[in-house]
Amino acid sequence: MKTGKLIKTWDFPTAVKRVEFTEDGNFVLGTTEERMGHLGTIVVFPVNSDIEGEQVDEPSLRITCETKKKAVVAAWSYLGKYIIAGHEDGSVSQYDAKTGEQLLNVPVHERGTLIMDMQMSADKSYFITASKDKSAKIIDVKTLNILKKFETDTPLNTAAITAKKDFVILGGGQEAMNVTTTSARQGKFEARFYHKIFEDEIGRVRGHFGPLNTIAVHPAGVSYASGGEDGYVRLHHFDKGYFDFMYEVERTRAQH
C-alpha cells in the first residue's frame, strides 16, 4: 500500500472476475470464469503480511463450480467464516471458508438470470445482490433468507448499501449493445436510491451516458462513486439535504 510495489502474481488459465481480501488482510479470494475446458472456480490464497517475504504459489482452498452454475461474484462474511457466492443461474451459495463445503444454496433471483454484483454490509452480516432480472435483494449471511427486495424497470449491474442512512443505491440500464441508439433518459442510466427498510424508491441521480457497471459508497457514508459503460467514473458528495432527509414514517416516529 505504501509503495505500490508488486509482491506476487498468480496466473490463471481463464479470466478472474472478482477478488476480495478478508477484513484482516490474511486471505484473498478470486473467482475464475469457465472457459476453454476449465471449470469456474473460487480460489483462496493466504497472504504473507511481510511484503518482503515469500507468498505461496498454490491456493489453500479451491471450490469448483458446476457447469452452468459458475460463481460470478463472491465475498467474505463476518470474521471470514463463510464465502458467499452469487451464481450464473440466479442462486446464492454459502460455503465453509475453511473446508470449501457448500452449506446452503438458495434460488434468489429468476432462474437463469445473472447475479451481477454482491456487496456486504459494514458488519458483513447481510449483503445486497443486483441481477439482470431487474431486482436487487438484501440477504442474511447466516440463513440466506431474503430480507428485502427492490424492484426496478431496468436490468441491474450493481447495488451498494450506504452508511449512516438507511438507503441502497442501484445502477444498471439498457444493454451496452443498444446504447448508441438510445437516449440517456430512455436507457435508464440513473443511479437509483431506495429506502433500505421500506423498499420504496426515493430518488435518482443522472449523469452517465451508458449503463452503470459499478457503484461504491464511501465507508463514512459521505459520498459515492459510479463507473459507467461511457468510460467515466463520477464522484458524488452528499449534501446537507441528503443527511436531513427523513422518510415520513421516520419523521412521525421522531416527533413522538
Side-chain angles (χ1 to χ4, degrees):
M1 290 292 292
K2 293 182 179 180
T3 66
K5 177 183 176 182
L6 174 66
I7 60 174
K8 180 64 179 179
T9 299
W10 290 291
D11 293 317
F12 297 91
T14 62
V16 179
K17 304 296 288 185
R18 177 68 69 99
V19 292
E20 183 176 319
F21 285 96
T22 50
E23 291 178 278
D24 59 14
N26 290 332
F27 293 90
V28 62
L29 67 74
T31 62
T32 69
E33 278 200 326
E34 178 182 345
R35 290 280 174 86
M36 301 177 292
H38 298 277
L39 292 175
T41 62
I42 301 170
V43 292
V44 174
F45 291 92
V47 177
N48 186 348
S49 59
D50 177 7
I51 62 172
E52 299 300 329
E54 292 292 324
Q55 301 292 333
V56 299
D57 293 322
E58 296 298 322
S60 59
L61 182 66
R62 187 188 299 272
I63 301 169
T64 301
C65 301
E66 301 173 18
T67 300
K68 297 183 179 180
K69 202 167 188 173
K70 69 181 181 184
V72 182
V73 291
W76 298 98
S77 78
Y78 53 88
L79 304 176
K81 183 175 183 179
Y82 305 118
I83 293 173
I84 307 296
H87 297 284
E88 191 177 41
D89 67 349
S91 69
V92 170
S93 290
Q94 178 196 86
Y95 298 95
D96 184 299
K98 294 187 183 302
T99 66
E101 177 188 0
Q102 187 181 83
L103 305 175
L104 294 171
N105 177 258
V106 177
V108 170
H109 291 279
E110 289 182 14
R111 186 174 180 83
T113 55
L114 285 169
I115 295 178
M116 298 298 294
D117 192 18
M118 172 192 298
Q119 296 193 31
M120 286 282 173
S121 63
D123 65 1
K124 296 184 178 290
S125 65
Y126 62 92
F127 59 94
I128 190 167
T129 59
S131 171
K132 289 296 188 183
D133 70 358
K134 303 181 181 181
S135 74
K137 299 183 181 182
I138 288 180
I139 300 169
D140 180 75
V141 160
K142 189 173 182 179
T143 64
L144 296 191
N145 289 338
I146 298 172
L147 305 178
K148 297 292 177 181
K149 180 179 180 179
F150 311 95
E151 296 183 318
T152 73
D153 58 356
T154 187
L156 294 177
N157 296 329
T158 184
I161 300 168
T162 64
K164 290 192 176 181
K165 301 293 287 185
D166 286 327
F167 302 150
V168 300
I169 311 175
L170 314 181
Q174 179 186 347
E175 294 294 335
M177 67 181 69
N178 300 319
V179 168
T180 55
T181 60
T182 304
S183 71
R185 179 172 295 182
Q186 290 175 320
K188 302 170 184 175
F189 305 140
E190 306 98 337
R192 300 170 180 231
F193 286 70
Y194 282 72
H195 197 284
K196 186 173 70 175
I197 308 302
F198 302 110
E199 304 177 351
D200 293 330
E201 184 176 356
I202 57 175
R204 300 185 185 185
V205 175
R206 295 179 182 173
H208 286 284
F209 298 97
L212 276 71
N213 290 332
T214 186
I215 289 172
V217 177
H218 190 286
V222 296
S223 60
Y224 79 94
S226 57
E229 195 71 24
D230 56 5
Y232 288 91
V233 173
R234 298 179 64 88
L235 178 63
H236 300 261
H237 291 278
F238 298 131
D239 57 20
K240 185 176 183 298
Y242 169 86
F243 295 105
D244 291 343
F245 173 84
M246 293 184 70
Y247 203 71
E248 191 60 37
V249 175
E250 295 173 317
R251 194 183 306 277
T252 301
R253 288 175 178 172
Q255 291 172 348
H256 292 81

